[in-house]
Amino acid sequence: AKGYRVYSYNTETKKYTTLKTLSGTSYVVTNLNSGTDYSYSVRAYGKVKNETVWGSYSTVNTATVPAKVKLSSASVSDAGKAVLKWVKTAADGYEIYMATGTGQYKKIKTITKNSTVTYSKGSLAKGKTYSFIVRAYKTVGDSKLYGDYSNVKSVSIK
């Protein structure tokens, strides 16, 4: 091939637009939004008797990792449950992790809606302190892309 043309899909116009024509085999796309789906297409071209001949399109669907979740509060309800609240981010869902004292964090819940920004955890022992972290995920094909873990919030059950 003499070169390649890279296209990006515009979800508003439902059309591909040219991003770059290049002679190399790599291109870095910048200024992307976190937790967002993107679709790109690439095709090779060559020259035959001063005429441009195009190859077939190759399409790649991908996404950027979600932004770090901001865990805004952790409190104890009247029923003795830990109640977590966080700020919604561009993601497909969230994973919640809990640790007791200085123990290791273990995943306790996967939330599959990005609009859900609260979680209540019951069955907690009195006199113990529990720490929580949350991370967002984005699903691409059969894989998940994870954002960074949130800040830690702790509650003590009295």
Side-chain angles (χ1 to χ4, degrees):
K2 180 153 180 74
Y4 301 88
R5 186 167 287 168
V6 180
Y7 304 86
S8 70
Y9 186 72
N10 183 318
T11 55
E12 291 177 15
T13 64
K14 308 251 187 268
K15 294 181 182 180
Y16 281 93
T17 57
T18 300
L19 268 182
K20 182 83 173 171
T21 301
L22 54 136
S23 58
T25 58
S26 68
Y27 178 68
V28 177
V29 181
T30 59
N31 299 321
L32 300 175
N33 296 318
S34 61
T36 303
D37 294 321
Y38 291 95
S39 184
Y40 299 97
S41 193
V42 178
R43 69 178 180 163
Y45 70 90
K47 294 284 186 176
V48 177
K49 296 182 183 178
N50 292 329
E51 197 173 313
T52 303
V53 179
W54 292 95
S56 58
Y57 290 93
S58 172
T59 302
V60 175
N61 296 312
T62 190
T64 52
V65 297
K68 180 178 180 177
V69 172
K70 181 182 184 303
L71 188 52
S72 53
S73 69
S75 59
V76 179
S77 73
D78 291 341
K81 293 182 177 183
V83 180
L84 309 175
K85 294 180 183 178
W86 59 91
V87 178
K88 180 179 171 181
T89 187
D92 291 332
Y94 305 94
E95 291 183 346
I96 300 166
Y97 294 78
M98 180 180 78
T100 305
T102 58
Q104 280 190 291
Y105 283 94
K106 292 182 183 174
K107 182 167 59 167
I108 59 169
K109 181 72 176 175
T110 298
I111 294 175
T112 58
K113 292 182 182 177
N114 86 322
S115 59
T116 301
V117 293
T118 62
Y119 175 70
S120 295
K121 171 66 176 140
S123 302
L124 301 174
K126 289 183 180 179
K128 288 200 174 194
T129 298
Y130 296 89
S131 297
F132 297 91
I133 55 176
V134 179
R135 71 176 175 175
Y137 69 86
K138 184 84 176 157
T139 304
V140 178
D142 294 336
S143 301
K144 284 184 179 178
L145 301 174
Y146 294 99
D148 289 338
Y149 289 102
S150 71
N151 51 310
V152 176
K153 292 285 185 180
S154 299
V155 296
S156 294
I157 307 300
K158 298 184 187 216

